[in-house]
Amino acid sequence: MRYRIRPALLLAPAGLLLAALAPWVLDGYHAGLAIKIMIYALFALSLQLLVGGAGLISLGHAAFFGIGAYAAALLSPESGPANFFWLIPCAVAPAMAYAALTGALALRTRGIYFIMITLAFAQMAYYVFHDTEAGGGSDGIYLYFRPEWRIGGHTLLNVDGPHAFYLFTLAVLALAWLFLAVLMRSRFGAALTGIRINEQRMRAAGYATFSYKFTAYVLAAGLAALAGMLYAAKDGFVNPELLAWEQSGLVLLMVILGGLGRLGGAVAGAAALTLLQEAFQSEALFGGLASHWHLPFGLSIIALVALLPRGLAGLLDRPGVRIASGASGASGSAGSAAPGPRSTGRTGAAPESAPQTTYRPQP
């Protein structure tokens, strides 16, 4: 018998430890960049649940990100910091309610029609904030104080400091990853995977596929709103561009570049695209060409997608460590070959087929 140790299981704890120690090494700019990467990683994880989990490609996911950011800014008082205990549910609930309303209609479509209707709903939300004074119009609104954890008059955790907010964002990202990893290994996650592979067969097996997709859609909206709330708390400013279709396209590129169906791929894709953007916009690196950063940025994405069809997470599949147990096989190609049908030992009997396994997305 051979056991395969996935590199992600070895790299995840080391990466989490290094990320926790980073704020004491990085300067202010790079610490802020790391926080931005973690927020977009959480945003990409929420979309990974739809695209990699249920096979639902959405071009309107930025609507939930922006609703969460605007809710945090609108509900925060101008005289002092808000309380995370009530701000988080109040920021996440409107996004989930909008997802429930739009998902009840959008999830009755498929393919390109689902993509277009999610884009339409996102643009509706965009123009609500852009063309009205509800959120300051096209100028946006400010969040004057970073929220804190408070019970009564006692402050439990103040995240206004640079190190505190960095570690708070990292903790939220780690908890979201853990939640999605457990979810995708549950019966619910197995059902989502079956729906992504063959929804018609899942219906024939008796699964209410609409309910599973609807639940995933609303959960993904809640996680995206949580990322939007962190974005508002980081910058202290939100504007309608957070809901624009370009934002939805950007997070979809993060998921594709990182690797579909891989939670680690969403994080890697968010880091890669954010760093590419920062690099091509840097005048120190590209001088006057930095004002035309969209061209090399687009060419880089095309090259990466062409060279890495399985995404950045696919790079970890090849150097997996195999541990042999007992006399489980010889070395070389014979040891790595897939097992064939087993004989039943009865003359004329059909060979017993190898057991089938259920595919589950890897973190």
Side-chain angles (χ1 to χ4, degrees):
M1 180 182 296
R2 288 181 177 269
Y3 300 96
R4 182 179 177 86
I5 300 178
R6 295 196 300 270
L9 296 178
L10 302 177
L11 294 178
L16 183 61
L17 179 60
L18 291 176
L21 298 175
W24 284 272
V25 179
L26 302 175
D27 56 20
Y29 168 76
H30 291 96
L33 179 59
I35 294 173
K36 180 180 179 181
I37 290 174
M38 290 188 290
I39 292 174
Y40 273 107
L42 177 59
F43 189 21
L45 281 174
S46 67
L47 185 60
Q48 185 73 282
L49 176 61
L50 291 182
V51 180
L56 298 172
I57 301 176
S58 172
L59 260 183
H61 207 57
F64 312 126
F65 183 78
I67 290 174
Y70 266 99
L74 290 171
L75 295 174
S76 296
E78 297 183 3
S79 57
N83 191 344
F84 269 126
F85 280 110
W86 61 262
L87 185 62
I88 290 179
C90 289
V92 171
M96 296 182 72
Y98 190 65
L101 177 63
T102 59
L105 301 175
L107 290 171
R108 300 184 187 279
T109 62
R110 297 181 181 179
I112 188 65
Y113 302 103
F114 178 80
I115 296 175
M116 296 307 297
I117 197 170
T118 54
L119 174 61
F121 281 132
Q123 289 301 102
M124 288 171 54
Y126 168 81
Y127 283 110
V128 167
F129 292 103
H130 186 275
D131 295 345
T132 67
E133 294 300 322
S138 59
D139 295 330
I141 55 175
Y142 289 91
L143 190 152
Y144 295 97
F145 297 92
R146 189 169 286 172
E148 61 186 13
W149 294 96
R150 189 173 62 250
I151 296 180
H154 303 282
T155 301
L156 301 180
L157 178 62
N158 186 350
V159 297
D160 196 33
H163 292 177
F165 189 70
Y166 178 99
L167 294 176
F168 173 67
T169 306
L170 178 61
V172 173
L173 176 61
L175 289 175
W177 183 325
L178 180 62
F179 168 74
L180 290 177
V182 174
L183 182 70
M184 293 309 297
R185 280 164 175 74
S186 66
R187 294 175 61 89
F188 178 83
L192 282 183
T193 303
I195 292 171
R196 177 176 58 82
I197 296 174
N198 194 325
E199 183 176 357
Q200 185 176 1
R201 181 172 294 181
M202 293 296 290
R203 286 178 180 172
Y207 284 86
T209 58
F210 179 85
S211 299
Y212 283 98
K213 293 191 296 183
F214 181 81
T215 303
Y217 191 77
V218 174
L219 285 176
L223 290 174
L226 182 59
M229 186 212 67
L230 291 174
Y231 188 92
K234 170 186 175 294
D235 289 343
F237 173 75
V238 296
N239 62 15
E241 297 306 315
L242 296 179
L243 296 89
W245 69 268
E246 293 93 343
Q247 195 82 348
S248 297
L250 179 64
V251 70
L252 183 59
L253 281 176
M254 292 176 181
V255 173
I256 295 174
L257 178 61
L260 294 177
R262 304 287 290 271
L263 299 181
V267 177
L273 257 67
T274 304
L275 292 176
L276 280 176
Q277 278 187 323
E278 293 293 325
F280 288 126
Q281 290 177 359
S282 174
E283 294 186 359
L285 295 176
F286 294 95
L289 295 177
S291 58
H292 307 285
W293 65 273
H294 292 89
L295 178 60
F297 180 68
L299 293 175
S300 299
I301 292 176
I302 294 174
L304 288 173
V305 172
L307 295 174
L308 302 172
R310 300 182 63 184
L312 295 172
L315 295 174
L316 299 178
D317 291 338
R318 297 177 182 176
V321 180
R322 293 182 180 272
I323 301 177
S325 175
S328 57
S331 59
S333 60
S336 60
R342 294 180 302 178
S343 174
T344 59
R346 299 192 302 268
T347 304
E352 183 180 349
S353 60
Q356 297 182 356
T357 58
T358 303
Y359 168 78
R360 298 178 187 273
Q362 302 174 2

Short mmCIF file of all heavy atoms in Angstrom, two decimals, residues 98-148:
data_model
loop_
_atom_site.label_atom_id
_atom_site.label_comp_id
_atom_site.label_asym_id
_atom_site.label_seq_id
_atom_site.Cartn_x
_atom_site.Cartn_y
_atom_site.Cartn_z
N TYR A 98 -29.42 39.66 -0.53
CA TYR A 98 -29.42 39.95 -1.97
C TYR A 98 -29.09 38.69 -2.78
O TYR A 98 -29.64 38.48 -3.87
CB TYR A 98 -28.41 41.06 -2.26
CG TYR A 98 -28.48 41.60 -3.67
CD1 TYR A 98 -29.61 42.27 -4.11
CD2 TYR A 98 -27.42 41.44 -4.55
CE1 TYR A 98 -29.68 42.77 -5.40
CE2 TYR A 98 -27.47 41.94 -5.84
CZ TYR A 98 -28.61 42.62 -6.26
OH TYR A 98 -28.68 43.11 -7.55
N ALA A 99 -28.20 37.86 -2.25
CA ALA A 99 -27.88 36.60 -2.92
C ALA A 99 -29.08 35.67 -2.94
O ALA A 99 -29.33 34.98 -3.94
CB ALA A 99 -26.70 35.92 -2.23
N ALA A 100 -29.84 35.63 -1.84
CA ALA A 100 -31.03 34.78 -1.81
C ALA A 100 -32.06 35.25 -2.82
O ALA A 100 -32.71 34.44 -3.51
CB ALA A 100 -31.62 34.77 -0.40
N LEU A 101 -32.21 36.58 -2.93
CA LEU A 101 -33.19 37.13 -3.87
C LEU A 101 -32.78 36.88 -5.31
O LEU A 101 -33.57 36.40 -6.13
CB LEU A 101 -33.35 38.63 -3.61
CG LEU A 101 -34.29 39.39 -4.55
CD1 LEU A 101 -35.71 38.87 -4.41
CD2 LEU A 101 -34.23 40.89 -4.28
N THR A 102 -31.53 37.18 -5.64
CA THR A 102 -31.07 37.01 -7.02
C THR A 102 -30.80 35.56 -7.36
O THR A 102 -31.01 35.13 -8.50
CB THR A 102 -29.80 37.84 -7.25
OG1 THR A 102 -28.78 37.42 -6.34
CG2 THR A 102 -30.08 39.32 -7.05
N GLY A 103 -30.34 34.79 -6.38
CA GLY A 103 -30.04 33.38 -6.64
C GLY A 103 -31.29 32.57 -6.95
O GLY A 103 -31.23 31.60 -7.72
N ALA A 104 -32.41 32.95 -6.35
CA ALA A 104 -33.66 32.23 -6.62
C ALA A 104 -34.03 32.30 -8.09
O ALA A 104 -34.69 31.40 -8.62
CB ALA A 104 -34.78 32.80 -5.75
N LEU A 105 -33.58 33.36 -8.76
CA LEU A 105 -33.85 33.51 -10.20
C LEU A 105 -32.67 33.04 -11.05
O LEU A 105 -32.86 32.30 -12.02
CB LEU A 105 -34.15 34.98 -10.52
CG LEU A 105 -35.35 35.59 -9.79
CD1 LEU A 105 -35.46 37.08 -10.10
CD2 LEU A 105 -36.64 34.88 -10.18
N ALA A 106 -31.46 33.45 -10.65
CA ALA A 106 -30.29 33.14 -11.48
C ALA A 106 -30.01 31.65 -11.55
O ALA A 106 -29.58 31.13 -12.59
CB ALA A 106 -29.08 33.89 -10.94
N LEU A 107 -30.24 30.93 -10.45
CA LEU A 107 -29.89 29.51 -10.41
C LEU A 107 -30.86 28.64 -11.22
O LEU A 107 -30.64 27.44 -11.32
CB LEU A 107 -29.85 29.03 -8.96
CG LEU A 107 -28.68 29.59 -8.15
CD1 LEU A 107 -28.82 29.24 -6.68
CD2 LEU A 107 -27.35 29.06 -8.68
N ARG A 108 -31.88 29.24 -11.75
CA ARG A 108 -32.77 28.49 -12.66
C ARG A 108 -32.27 28.52 -14.09
O ARG A 108 -32.89 27.95 -14.99
CB ARG A 108 -34.19 29.07 -12.59
CG ARG A 108 -34.77 28.99 -11.19
CD ARG A 108 -36.20 29.46 -11.12
NE ARG A 108 -36.67 29.52 -9.75
CZ ARG A 108 -37.09 28.49 -9.03
NH1 ARG A 108 -37.13 27.28 -9.60
NH2 ARG A 108 -37.50 28.62 -7.78
N THR A 109 -31.13 29.17 -14.31
CA THR A 109 -30.50 29.20 -15.62
C THR A 109 -29.18 28.44 -15.55
O THR A 109 -28.70 28.09 -14.47
CB THR A 109 -30.25 30.64 -16.08
OG1 THR A 109 -29.35 31.29 -15.15
CG2 THR A 109 -31.55 31.43 -16.11
N ARG A 110 -28.57 28.25 -16.70
CA ARG A 110 -27.30 27.51 -16.78
C ARG A 110 -26.36 28.18 -17.75
O ARG A 110 -26.77 28.97 -18.60
CB ARG A 110 -27.53 26.06 -17.24
CG ARG A 110 -28.38 25.21 -16.32
CD ARG A 110 -28.50 23.81 -16.89
NE ARG A 110 -29.33 22.93 -16.06
CZ ARG A 110 -29.58 21.67 -16.36
NH1 ARG A 110 -29.07 21.12 -17.46
NH2 ARG A 110 -30.35 20.94 -15.57
N GLY A 111 -25.09 27.81 -17.62
CA GLY A 111 -24.09 28.20 -18.60
C GLY A 111 -23.97 29.69 -18.78
O GLY A 111 -23.92 30.48 -17.83
N ILE A 112 -23.95 30.11 -20.06
CA ILE A 112 -23.76 31.51 -20.38
C ILE A 112 -24.91 32.36 -19.85
O ILE A 112 -24.73 33.54 -19.52
CB ILE A 112 -23.60 31.68 -21.91
CG1 ILE A 112 -23.22 33.12 -22.26
CG2 ILE A 112 -24.87 31.25 -22.62
CD1 ILE A 112 -21.88 33.54 -21.75
N TYR A 113 -26.10 31.78 -19.75
CA TYR A 113 -27.24 32.54 -19.25
C TYR A 113 -27.07 32.87 -17.76
O TYR A 113 -27.42 33.95 -17.32
CB TYR A 113 -28.54 31.75 -19.47
CG TYR A 113 -28.77 31.41 -20.92
CD1 TYR A 113 -28.52 30.12 -21.40
CD2 TYR A 113 -29.21 32.37 -21.82
CE1 TYR A 113 -28.71 29.81 -22.73
CE2 TYR A 113 -29.41 32.07 -23.16
CZ TYR A 113 -29.16 30.79 -23.61
OH TYR A 113 -29.34 30.50 -24.93
N PHE A 114 -26.50 31.93 -17.00
CA PHE A 114 -26.22 32.20 -15.59
C PHE A 114 -25.15 33.28 -15.47
O PHE A 114 -25.26 34.18 -14.60
CB PHE A 114 -25.76 30.91 -14.90
CG PHE A 114 -25.39 31.10 -13.46
CD1 PHE A 114 -26.37 31.16 -12.48
CD2 PHE A 114 -24.06 31.22 -13.07
CE1 PHE A 114 -26.04 31.35 -11.15
CE2 PHE A 114 -23.72 31.39 -11.73
CZ PHE A 114 -24.71 31.46 -10.77
N ILE A 115 -24.13 33.24 -16.31
CA ILE A 115 -23.09 34.25 -16.27
C ILE A 115 -23.68 35.63 -16.53
O ILE A 115 -23.38 36.61 -15.83
CB ILE A 115 -21.99 33.92 -17.29
CG1 ILE A 115 -21.28 32.61 -16.92
CG2 ILE A 115 -20.98 35.06 -17.40
CD1 ILE A 115 -20.27 32.15 -17.95
N MET A 116 -24.53 35.73 -17.54
CA MET A 116 -25.08 37.04 -17.91
C MET A 116 -26.06 37.57 -16.88
O MET A 116 -26.08 38.78 -16.61
CB MET A 116 -25.75 36.94 -19.28
CG MET A 116 -24.80 36.59 -20.42
SD MET A 116 -23.37 37.69 -20.51
CE MET A 116 -24.17 39.26 -20.85
N ILE A 117 -26.86 36.71 -16.28
CA ILE A 117 -27.84 37.21 -15.32
C ILE A 117 -27.17 37.62 -14.02
O ILE A 117 -27.58 38.60 -13.39
CB ILE A 117 -28.95 36.16 -15.08
CG1 ILE A 117 -30.16 36.83 -14.42
CG2 ILE A 117 -28.47 35.00 -14.21
CD1 ILE A 117 -31.39 35.94 -14.36
N THR A 118 -26.09 36.94 -13.62
CA THR A 118 -25.35 37.39 -12.44
C THR A 118 -24.65 38.72 -12.72
O THR A 118 -24.60 39.60 -11.84
CB THR A 118 -24.32 36.34 -12.01
OG1 THR A 118 -23.47 36.01 -13.12
CG2 THR A 118 -24.99 35.09 -11.49
N LEU A 119 -24.16 38.91 -13.93
CA LEU A 119 -23.56 40.19 -14.31
C LEU A 119 -24.61 41.30 -14.26
O LEU A 119 -24.34 42.41 -13.77
CB LEU A 119 -22.96 40.08 -15.70
CG LEU A 119 -22.42 41.37 -16.33
CD1 LEU A 119 -21.30 41.94 -15.47
CD2 LEU A 119 -21.95 41.12 -17.75
N ALA A 120 -25.82 41.00 -14.74
CA ALA A 120 -26.88 42.01 -14.74
C ALA A 120 -27.27 42.40 -13.32
O ALA A 120 -27.44 43.59 -13.02
CB ALA A 120 -28.09 41.48 -15.50
N PHE A 121 -27.41 41.44 -12.43
CA PHE A 121 -27.77 41.75 -11.05
C PHE A 121 -26.66 42.56 -10.36
O PHE A 121 -26.95 43.45 -9.56
CB PHE A 121 -28.03 40.46 -10.27
CG PHE A 121 -29.38 39.88 -10.54
CD1 PHE A 121 -29.53 38.52 -10.84
CD2 PHE A 121 -30.52 40.65 -10.46
CE1 PHE A 121 -30.78 37.97 -11.07
CE2 PHE A 121 -31.78 40.11 -10.70
CZ PHE A 121 -31.91 38.78 -11.01
N ALA A 122 -25.41 42.25 -10.67
CA ALA A 122 -24.31 43.01 -10.08
C ALA A 122 -24.31 44.45 -10.57
O ALA A 122 -24.05 45.38 -9.80
CB ALA A 122 -22.98 42.33 -10.40
N GLN A 123 -24.58 44.66 -11.86
CA GLN A 123 -24.63 46.01 -12.38
C GLN A 123 -25.80 46.80 -11.80
O GLN A 123 -25.70 48.03 -11.62
CB GLN A 123 -24.72 45.98 -13.91
CG GLN A 123 -23.43 45.51 -14.59
CD GLN A 123 -22.25 46.41 -14.26
OE1 GLN A 123 -21.41 46.05 -13.43
NE2 GLN A 123 -22.18 47.57 -14.87
N MET A 124 -26.89 46.13 -11.51
CA MET A 124 -28.00 46.80 -10.84
C MET A 124 -27.56 47.34 -9.48
O MET A 124 -27.83 48.50 -9.14
CB MET A 124 -29.18 45.83 -10.67
CG MET A 124 -29.91 45.50 -11.95
SD MET A 124 -31.12 44.17 -11.73
CE MET A 124 -32.09 44.81 -10.37
N ALA A 125 -26.86 46.52 -8.71
CA ALA A 125 -26.37 46.97 -7.41
C ALA A 125 -25.34 48.08 -7.57
O ALA A 125 -25.29 49.03 -6.77
CB ALA A 125 -25.77 45.78 -6.65
N TYR A 126 -24.52 47.98 -8.60
CA TYR A 126 -23.50 49.00 -8.85
C TYR A 126 -24.15 50.36 -9.07
O TYR A 126 -23.72 51.37 -8.47
CB TYR A 126 -22.66 48.60 -10.06
CG TYR A 126 -21.77 49.68 -10.61
CD1 TYR A 126 -20.55 49.97 -10.01
CD2 TYR A 126 -22.15 50.43 -11.72
CE1 TYR A 126 -19.72 50.97 -10.50
CE2 TYR A 126 -21.34 51.43 -12.23
CZ TYR A 126 -20.14 51.69 -11.62
OH TYR A 126 -19.33 52.68 -12.10
N TYR A 127 -25.19 50.43 -9.90
CA TYR A 127 -25.80 51.72 -10.21
C TYR A 127 -26.66 52.24 -9.07
O TYR A 127 -26.90 53.45 -9.00
CB TYR A 127 -26.62 51.60 -11.49
CG TYR A 127 -25.75 51.59 -12.73
CD1 TYR A 127 -25.60 50.44 -13.49
CD2 TYR A 127 -25.04 52.73 -13.11
CE1 TYR A 127 -24.78 50.43 -14.61
CE2 TYR A 127 -24.22 52.72 -14.23
CZ TYR A 127 -24.10 51.57 -14.97
OH TYR A 127 -23.27 51.57 -16.07
N VAL A 128 -27.09 51.37 -8.17
CA VAL A 128 -27.78 51.86 -6.98
C VAL A 128 -26.86 52.75 -6.15
O VAL A 128 -27.25 53.82 -5.67
CB VAL A 128 -28.31 50.69 -6.14
CG1 VAL A 128 -28.74 51.15 -4.75
CG2 VAL A 128 -29.49 50.02 -6.84
N PHE A 129 -25.62 52.32 -5.98
CA PHE A 129 -24.67 53.11 -5.21
C PHE A 129 -24.02 54.22 -6.03
O PHE A 129 -23.61 55.24 -5.47
CB PHE A 129 -23.58 52.20 -4.62
CG PHE A 129 -24.07 51.25 -3.58
CD1 PHE A 129 -24.28 49.91 -3.87
CD2 PHE A 129 -24.35 51.69 -2.29
CE1 PHE A 129 -24.73 49.03 -2.90
CE2 PHE A 129 -24.81 50.83 -1.32
CZ PHE A 129 -25.00 49.49 -1.62
N HIS A 130 -23.93 54.04 -7.34
CA HIS A 130 -23.25 55.01 -8.18
C HIS A 130 -24.13 56.22 -8.50
O HIS A 130 -23.64 57.36 -8.54
CB HIS A 130 -22.80 54.35 -9.49
CG HIS A 130 -21.96 55.22 -10.37
ND1 HIS A 130 -22.50 56.11 -11.27
CD2 HIS A 130 -20.61 55.34 -10.48
CE1 HIS A 130 -21.54 56.74 -11.91
NE2 HIS A 130 -20.37 56.29 -11.46
N ASP A 131 -25.42 55.99 -8.71
CA ASP A 131 -26.30 57.05 -9.19
C ASP A 131 -27.21 57.63 -8.11
O ASP A 131 -28.06 58.45 -8.42
CB ASP A 131 -27.17 56.53 -10.35
CG ASP A 131 -26.33 56.18 -11.57
OD1 ASP A 131 -25.15 56.60 -11.62
OD2 ASP A 131 -26.84 55.49 -12.46
N THR A 132 -27.08 57.17 -6.90
CA THR A 132 -27.90 57.70 -5.81
C THR A 132 -26.98 58.21 -4.70
O THR A 132 -25.78 57.95 -4.69
CB THR A 132 -28.84 56.63 -5.25
OG1 THR A 132 -28.08 55.60 -4.60
CG2 THR A 132 -29.69 55.99 -6.36
N GLU A 133 -27.58 58.92 -3.77
CA GLU A 133 -26.84 59.44 -2.63
C GLU A 133 -26.82 58.47 -1.46
O GLU A 133 -26.35 58.83 -0.37
CB GLU A 133 -27.44 60.79 -2.18
CG GLU A 133 -27.28 61.90 -3.21
CD GLU A 133 -25.83 62.18 -3.54
OE1 GLU A 133 -24.99 62.12 -2.61
OE2 GLU A 133 -25.52 62.45 -4.72
N ALA A 134 -27.32 57.27 -1.66
CA ALA A 134 -27.38 56.30 -0.57
C ALA A 134 -25.98 55.98 -0.04
O ALA A 134 -25.79 55.79 1.16
CB ALA A 134 -28.08 55.02 -1.03
N GLY A 135 -25.02 55.92 -0.95
CA GLY A 135 -23.65 55.62 -0.54
C GLY A 135 -22.67 56.68 -0.95
O GLY A 135 -21.48 56.39 -1.17
N GLY A 136 -23.13 57.93 -1.07
CA GLY A 136 -22.23 59.00 -1.46
C GLY A 136 -22.06 59.17 -2.95
O GLY A 136 -21.18 59.94 -3.37
N GLY A 137 -22.84 58.48 -3.76
CA GLY A 137 -22.72 58.60 -5.20
C GLY A 137 -21.40 58.05 -5.71
O GLY A 137 -20.80 57.14 -5.13
N SER A 138 -20.93 58.63 -6.81
CA SER A 138 -19.68 58.15 -7.41
C SER A 138 -18.45 58.50 -6.58
O SER A 138 -17.38 57.93 -6.79
CB SER A 138 -19.52 58.74 -8.81
OG SER A 138 -19.50 60.17 -8.75
N ASP A 139 -18.59 59.42 -5.62
CA ASP A 139 -17.46 59.80 -4.78
C ASP A 139 -17.21 58.81 -3.66
O ASP A 139 -16.12 58.80 -3.08
CB ASP A 139 -17.70 61.19 -4.17
CG ASP A 139 -17.74 62.29 -5.23
OD1 ASP A 139 -17.05 62.12 -6.26
OD2 ASP A 139 -18.45 63.28 -5.03
N GLY A 140 -18.20 58.00 -3.31
CA GLY A 140 -18.02 57.04 -2.24
C GLY A 140 -18.18 57.67 -0.87
O GLY A 140 -18.53 58.84 -0.73
N ILE A 141 -17.90 56.89 0.16
CA ILE A 141 -18.01 57.36 1.54
C ILE A 141 -16.81 56.87 2.34
O ILE A 141 -16.11 55.94 1.93
CB ILE A 141 -19.32 56.88 2.20
CG1 ILE A 141 -19.43 55.35 2.12
CG2 ILE A 141 -20.53 57.54 1.62
CD1 ILE A 141 -20.63 54.80 2.86
N TYR A 142 -16.62 57.49 3.50
CA TYR A 142 -15.49 57.18 4.36
C TYR A 142 -15.94 56.40 5.60
O TYR A 142 -17.06 56.57 6.08
CB TYR A 142 -14.77 58.45 4.80
CG TYR A 142 -14.00 59.12 3.69
CD1 TYR A 142 -14.60 60.10 2.91
CD2 TYR A 142 -12.68 58.77 3.43
CE1 TYR A 142 -13.89 60.71 1.88
CE2 TYR A 142 -11.97 59.38 2.41
CZ TYR A 142 -12.58 60.35 1.64
OH TYR A 142 -11.87 60.95 0.62
N LEU A 143 -15.04 55.58 6.08
CA LEU A 143 -15.19 54.93 7.37
C LEU A 143 -14.10 55.52 8.26
O LEU A 143 -12.92 55.27 8.06
CB LEU A 143 -15.03 53.41 7.24
CG LEU A 143 -15.39 52.54 8.44
CD1 LEU A 143 -15.85 51.16 7.97
CD2 LEU A 143 -14.20 52.36 9.37
N TYR A 144 -14.51 56.34 9.25
CA TYR A 144 -13.57 57.19 9.96
C TYR A 144 -12.78 56.43 11.04
O TYR A 144 -11.66 56.80 11.37
CB TYR A 144 -14.31 58.36 10.59
CG TYR A 144 -14.92 59.28 9.56
CD1 TYR A 144 -16.26 59.16 9.20
CD2 TYR A 144 -14.16 60.25 8.94
CE1 TYR A 144 -16.82 59.99 8.25
CE2 TYR A 144 -14.71 61.10 7.98
CZ TYR A 144 -16.05 60.96 7.64
OH TYR A 144 -16.59 61.78 6.68
N PHE A 145 -13.37 55.40 11.61
CA PHE A 145 -12.70 54.67 12.68
C PHE A 145 -12.75 53.18 12.36
O PHE A 145 -13.78 52.65 11.92
CB PHE A 145 -13.38 54.92 14.03
CG PHE A 145 -13.31 56.34 14.49
CD1 PHE A 145 -14.33 57.24 14.20
CD2 PHE A 145 -12.21 56.80 15.21
CE1 PHE A 145 -14.27 58.55 14.61
CE2 PHE A 145 -12.14 58.11 15.63
CZ PHE A 145 -13.17 59.00 15.33
N ARG A 146 -11.63 52.51 12.57
CA ARG A 146 -11.58 51.06 12.37
C ARG A 146 -12.33 50.37 13.51
O ARG A 146 -12.13 50.70 14.68
CB ARG A 146 -10.14 50.59 12.33
CG ARG A 146 -9.96 49.14 11.92
CD ARG A 146 -8.49 48.85 11.66
NE ARG A 146 -8.04 49.44 10.41
CZ ARG A 146 -6.77 49.47 10.02
NH1 ARG A 146 -5.83 48.95 10.80
NH2 ARG A 146 -6.43 50.01 8.87
N PRO A 147 -13.23 49.43 13.20
CA PRO A 147 -14.03 48.78 14.26
C PRO A 147 -13.15 48.03 15.27
O PRO A 147 -11.98 47.75 15.03
CB PRO A 147 -14.94 47.82 13.49
CG PRO A 147 -14.96 48.35 12.10
CD PRO A 147 -13.61 48.97 11.87
N GLU A 148 -13.76 47.69 16.40
CA GLU A 148 -13.06 46.97 17.46
C GLU A 148 -14.01 45.97 18.10
O GLU A 148 -15.24 46.06 17.94
CB GLU A 148 -12.51 47.94 18.51
CG GLU A 148 -13.60 48.76 19.20
CD GLU A 148 -13.03 49.81 20.13
OE1 GLU A 148 -11.81 50.08 20.05
OE2 GLU A 148 -13.80 50.36 20.94
#
